[in-house]
Amino acid sequence: DGGITQSPKYLFRKEGQNVTLSCEQNLNHDAMYWYRQDPGQGLRLIYYSQIVNDFQKGDIAEGYSVSREKKESFPLTVTSAQKNPTAFYLCASSIWAEGGQPQHFGDGTRLSIL
Amino acid sequence: DQQVKQNSPSLSVQEGRISILNCDYTNSMFDYFLWYKKYPAEGPTFLISISSIKDKNEDGRFTVLNKSAKHLSLHIVPSQPGDSAVYFCAASGVLNFGNEKLTFGTGTRLTIIP
Protein backbone atom coordinates (compact mmCIF):
# COMPACT_ATOMS: atom_id res chain seq x y z
CA ASP A 1 0.00 0.00 0.00
CA GLY A 2 1.31 3.44 -0.89
CA GLY A 3 1.56 5.96 1.85
CA ILE A 4 3.62 8.06 4.20
CA THR A 5 5.25 6.59 7.28
CA GLN A 6 6.32 8.76 10.17
CA SER A 7 8.34 7.43 13.07
CA PRO A 8 8.38 7.34 15.97
CA LYS A 9 4.79 8.03 16.92
CA TYR A 10 5.86 9.51 20.26
CA LEU A 11 9.22 11.12 21.03
CA PHE A 12 10.65 12.68 24.13
CA ARG A 13 13.47 15.18 24.15
CA LYS A 14 15.68 16.33 26.96
CA GLU A 15 16.67 19.95 27.23
CA GLY A 16 19.58 20.78 24.91
CA GLN A 17 19.16 17.70 22.74
CA ASN A 18 18.61 17.47 19.02
CA VAL A 19 16.07 14.90 17.86
CA THR A 20 15.28 13.66 14.38
CA LEU A 21 11.82 12.74 13.12
CA SER A 22 11.61 10.30 10.26
CA CYS A 23 9.35 10.60 7.21
CA GLU A 24 9.31 8.08 4.37
CA GLN A 25 6.93 7.94 1.39
CA ASN A 26 6.43 5.38 -1.34
CA LEU A 27 3.99 7.42 -3.40
CA ASN A 28 6.70 8.54 -5.82
CA HIS A 29 5.87 12.16 -4.98
CA ASP A 30 8.42 14.83 -5.76
CA ALA A 31 7.36 17.32 -3.10
CA MET A 32 7.50 16.76 0.65
CA TYR A 33 6.55 19.01 3.54
CA TRP A 34 6.83 19.29 7.31
CA TYR A 35 4.12 20.93 9.39
CA ARG A 36 3.69 21.62 13.05
CA GLN A 37 0.33 21.59 14.82
CA ASP A 38 -0.26 23.16 18.21
CA PRO A 39 -3.50 22.81 20.22
CA GLY A 40 -6.29 24.94 18.78
CA GLN A 41 -4.21 25.98 15.81
CA GLY A 42 -3.99 25.02 12.20
CA LEU A 43 -0.99 23.41 10.59
CA ARG A 44 2.01 25.66 10.06
CA LEU A 45 4.64 24.95 7.42
CA ILE A 46 8.19 24.37 8.71
CA TYR A 47 10.12 23.26 5.62
CA TYR A 48 9.34 21.91 2.19
CA SER A 49 11.25 20.21 -0.57
CA GLN A 50 10.30 20.11 -4.23
CA ILE A 51 13.15 17.89 -5.41
CA VAL A 52 16.02 15.82 -4.08
CA ASN A 53 18.90 17.84 -2.63
CA ASP A 54 16.82 20.99 -2.48
CA PHE A 55 14.60 22.38 0.28
CA GLN A 56 13.17 25.72 1.35
CA LYS A 57 12.14 27.34 4.61
CA GLY A 58 8.48 27.60 5.42
CA ASP A 59 6.79 29.99 7.82
CA ILE A 60 8.39 28.75 11.06
CA ALA A 61 11.78 27.23 10.13
CA GLU A 62 13.80 28.65 13.03
CA GLY A 63 15.18 25.89 15.25
CA TYR A 64 14.60 23.17 12.66
CA SER A 65 16.70 21.58 9.93
CA VAL A 66 15.96 19.08 7.14
CA SER A 67 17.69 17.07 4.46
CA ARG A 68 16.47 15.50 1.22
CA GLU A 69 19.09 13.02 0.06
CA LYS A 70 16.55 10.57 -1.35
CA LYS A 71 13.19 11.13 -3.03
CA GLU A 72 11.49 8.87 -0.51
CA SER A 73 12.87 10.43 2.66
CA PHE A 74 12.61 13.86 4.30
CA PRO A 75 13.82 13.76 7.93
CA LEU A 76 13.27 16.72 10.24
CA THR A 77 15.71 17.59 13.03
CA VAL A 78 14.40 19.61 15.94
CA THR A 79 17.45 21.35 17.31
CA SER A 80 18.13 22.71 20.79
CA ALA A 81 17.59 26.17 19.31
CA GLN A 82 13.87 25.44 19.06
CA LYS A 83 12.68 26.77 22.41
CA ASN A 84 9.15 25.45 22.27
CA PRO A 85 9.36 22.11 20.48
CA THR A 86 6.40 20.38 22.14
CA ALA A 87 3.90 19.84 19.32
CA PHE A 88 2.42 17.37 16.88
CA TYR A 89 4.56 17.13 13.75
CA LEU A 90 3.10 16.10 10.41
CA CYS A 91 4.87 15.14 7.22
CA ALA A 92 3.15 15.35 3.84
CA SER A 93 3.90 14.73 0.20
CA SER A 94 2.32 15.69 -3.10
CA ILE A 95 2.74 15.67 -6.84
CA TRP A 96 4.82 18.65 -7.85
CA ALA A 97 3.45 21.52 -9.94
CA GLU A 98 -0.12 20.34 -10.13
CA GLY A 99 -2.69 22.95 -9.26
CA GLY A 100 -4.90 21.95 -6.37
CA GLN A 101 -3.27 18.54 -5.89
CA PRO A 102 -3.91 17.41 -2.34
CA GLN A 103 -1.08 16.77 0.03
CA HIS A 104 -1.08 13.32 1.61
CA PHE A 105 -0.20 13.18 5.28
CA GLY A 106 1.43 10.70 7.59
CA ASP A 107 0.00 9.95 11.03
CA GLY A 108 2.33 12.32 12.82
CA THR A 109 4.90 12.32 15.60
CA ARG A 110 4.10 13.83 18.97
CA LEU A 111 7.19 15.42 20.50
CA SER A 112 7.34 16.22 24.21
CA ILE A 113 10.02 17.72 26.42
CA LEU A 114 11.20 15.83 29.48
CA ASP B 1 -2.40 37.48 10.23
CA GLN B 2 -4.75 34.53 9.75
CA GLN B 3 -5.40 34.30 6.01
CA VAL B 4 -7.77 31.34 6.33
CA LYS B 5 -10.33 31.53 9.10
CA GLN B 6 -12.68 28.97 10.53
CA ASN B 7 -14.62 31.00 13.04
CA SER B 8 -16.56 28.13 14.59
CA PRO B 9 -14.27 26.02 16.79
CA SER B 10 -16.97 23.42 17.25
CA LEU B 11 -20.28 22.28 15.80
CA SER B 12 -22.78 19.64 16.94
CA VAL B 13 -25.27 18.13 14.51
CA GLN B 14 -27.90 15.45 14.85
CA GLU B 15 -27.24 12.25 12.92
CA GLY B 16 -28.97 12.31 9.54
CA ARG B 17 -29.11 16.10 9.37
CA ILE B 18 -26.92 18.40 7.31
CA SER B 19 -23.59 19.65 8.67
CA ILE B 20 -22.35 22.99 7.32
CA LEU B 21 -18.79 24.05 8.05
CA ASN B 22 -17.65 27.51 7.06
CA CYS B 23 -14.36 28.96 5.94
CA ASP B 24 -13.38 32.56 5.19
CA TYR B 25 -10.20 33.77 3.54
CA THR B 26 -8.55 37.12 3.02
CA ASN B 27 -6.07 36.48 0.20
CA SER B 28 -7.65 36.81 -3.25
CA MET B 29 -4.62 35.08 -4.82
CA PHE B 30 -5.57 31.64 -3.52
CA ASP B 31 -6.41 29.39 -6.46
CA TYR B 32 -7.69 26.21 -4.83
CA PHE B 33 -9.43 25.37 -1.59
CA LEU B 34 -9.23 21.97 0.06
CA TRP B 35 -11.00 20.36 2.97
CA TYR B 36 -9.31 17.85 5.23
CA LYS B 37 -10.73 15.64 7.96
CA LYS B 38 -8.63 14.73 10.98
CA TYR B 39 -9.14 12.17 13.70
CA PRO B 40 -7.16 12.44 16.97
CA ALA B 41 -3.52 11.28 16.76
CA GLU B 42 -3.78 10.79 12.99
CA GLY B 43 -2.78 12.84 9.99
CA PRO B 44 -5.37 14.83 8.04
CA THR B 45 -7.15 13.03 5.23
CA PHE B 46 -8.08 14.87 2.05
CA LEU B 47 -11.85 15.12 1.50
CA ILE B 48 -12.68 17.42 -1.37
CA SER B 49 -11.35 20.48 -3.17
CA ILE B 50 -12.60 23.27 -5.37
CA SER B 51 -11.00 25.66 -7.78
CA SER B 52 -11.38 29.36 -7.03
CA ILE B 53 -13.18 29.79 -10.35
CA LYS B 54 -15.81 27.13 -9.64
CA ASP B 55 -18.80 27.62 -7.37
CA LYS B 56 -19.62 24.02 -6.48
CA ASN B 57 -18.03 20.61 -6.25
CA GLU B 58 -19.74 17.42 -5.09
CA ASP B 59 -18.41 14.05 -4.04
CA GLY B 60 -20.95 11.71 -2.53
CA ARG B 61 -22.19 13.11 0.76
CA PHE B 62 -19.74 16.02 0.58
CA THR B 63 -20.32 19.29 -1.26
CA VAL B 64 -18.16 22.37 -1.18
CA LEU B 65 -19.69 25.69 -2.17
CA ASN B 66 -17.75 28.77 -3.25
CA LYS B 67 -20.53 31.20 -4.05
CA SER B 68 -19.84 34.15 -1.79
CA ALA B 69 -16.92 36.52 -1.87
CA LYS B 70 -14.03 35.07 0.14
CA HIS B 71 -16.25 32.50 1.76
CA LEU B 72 -16.75 28.81 1.21
CA SER B 73 -18.59 26.07 2.98
CA LEU B 74 -18.48 22.29 3.30
CA HIS B 75 -21.82 20.50 3.42
CA ILE B 76 -22.14 16.94 4.67
CA VAL B 77 -25.48 15.27 4.15
CA PRO B 78 -26.64 13.09 5.70
CA SER B 79 -24.30 13.40 8.69
CA GLN B 80 -23.07 10.11 10.14
CA PRO B 81 -21.36 9.29 13.46
CA GLY B 82 -18.12 8.53 11.63
CA ASP B 83 -18.06 12.14 10.45
CA SER B 84 -17.18 13.26 13.97
CA ALA B 85 -13.69 14.74 13.55
CA VAL B 86 -11.85 18.03 13.15
CA TYR B 87 -12.26 19.58 9.71
CA PHE B 88 -9.61 21.86 8.30
CA CYS B 89 -10.08 24.27 5.45
CA ALA B 90 -6.90 24.91 3.48
CA ALA B 91 -6.14 27.35 0.69
CA SER B 92 -3.59 26.73 -2.01
CA GLY B 93 -1.32 29.44 -3.30
CA VAL B 94 1.81 29.34 -5.41
CA LEU B 95 5.12 28.94 -3.59
CA ASN B 96 7.48 29.03 -6.52
CA PHE B 97 8.23 27.03 -9.65
CA GLY B 98 4.57 26.10 -9.83
CA ASN B 99 4.48 24.24 -6.56
CA GLU B 100 1.87 25.23 -4.09
CA LYS B 101 1.68 25.98 -0.42
CA LEU B 102 -1.27 25.12 1.75
CA THR B 103 -2.42 27.65 4.32
CA PHE B 104 -4.63 26.02 6.93
CA GLY B 105 -7.44 27.35 9.04
CA THR B 106 -7.63 26.50 12.74
CA GLY B 107 -10.21 23.75 12.26
CA THR B 108 -13.78 23.04 13.33
CA ARG B 109 -14.54 20.10 15.58
CA LEU B 110 -17.69 18.41 14.30
CA THR B 111 -19.63 16.15 16.64
CA ILE B 112 -22.47 14.04 15.26
CA ILE B 113 -25.06 13.24 17.89
CA PRO B 114 -26.67 9.81 17.46
Side-chain angles (χ1 to χ4, degrees):
Chain A
D1 252 29
I4 299 178
T5 302
Q6 289 188 242
S7 61
K9 196 166 181 68
Y10 299 94
L11 187 58
F12 298 91
R13 193 190 91 169
K14 293 181 180 178
E15 296 284 350
Q17 264 188 346
N18 294 351
V19 290
T20 297
L21 285 60
S22 170
C23 178
E24 304 278 332
Q25 56 101 358
N26 60 6
L27 298 166
N28 200 33
H29 286 166
D30 289 299
M32 297 187 74
Y33 313 80
W34 273 105
Y35 292 89
R36 167 181 173 141
Q37 187 189 13
D38 293 283
Q41 296 193 34
L43 283 64
R44 292 182 291 167
L45 182 65
I46 304 173
Y47 266 97
Y48 63 97
S49 169
Q50 297 166 311
I51 198 168
V52 174
N53 293 322
D54 185 57
F55 49 83
Q56 306 294 331
K57 292 181 179 180
D59 298 321
I60 55 165
E62 186 175 349
Y64 300 97
S65 65
V66 293
S67 63
R68 187 87 186 277
E69 296 176 3
K70 298 187 300 182
K71 186 176 184 178
E72 302 79 20
S73 177
F74 191 40
L76 173 74
T77 296
V78 184
T79 75
S80 57
Q82 172 48 242
K83 298 307 177 189
N84 185 23
T86 297
F88 189 52
Y89 291 87
L90 287 158
C91 178
S93 70
S94 72
I95 296 172
W96 180 46
E98 292 279 347
Q101 281 293 327
Q103 294 178 13
H104 300 264
F105 286 83
D107 281 340
T109 293
R110 185 165 299 282
L111 175 63
S112 302
I113 301 304
L114 290 176
Chain B
D1 180 33
Q2 192 77 19
Q3 296 188 64
V4 178
K5 301 177 184 179
Q6 294 177 260
N7 292 319
S8 298
S10 63
L11 175 68
S12 295
V13 175
Q14 206 76 31
E15 182 179 357
R17 304 295 291 269
I18 183 170
S19 296
I20 301 176
L21 295 88
N22 294 307
C23 178
D24 298 296
Y25 58 96
T26 58
N27 188 341
S28 57
M29 299 302 290
F30 289 136
D31 49 8
Y32 282 90
F33 302 95
L34 301 87
W35 285 91
Y36 284 83
K37 174 180 179 179
K38 185 181 180 302
Y39 293 120
E42 293 184 8
T45 303
F46 170 71
L47 273 178
I48 191 169
S49 64
I50 189 168
S51 164
S52 60
I53 61 173
K54 301 286 188 184
D55 61 9
K56 184 179 181 180
N57 189 24
E58 291 180 87
D59 185 1
R61 296 186 300 114
F62 302 93
T63 299
V64 57
L65 299 179
N66 181 27
K67 295 184 177 180
S68 303
K70 297 185 178 175
H71 174 83
L72 56 148
S73 57
L74 174 68
H75 297 231
I76 306 173
V77 55
S79 300
Q80 299 174 353
D83 295 331
S84 295
V86 176
Y87 289 79
F88 288 99
C89 173
S92 177
V94 175
L95 270 168
N96 51 47
F97 304 111
N99 201 14
E100 303 199 359
K101 166 185 175 178
L102 289 182
T103 300
F104 284 83
T106 53
T108 296
R109 180 178 301 279
L110 176 65
T111 302
I112 305 303
I113 305 165

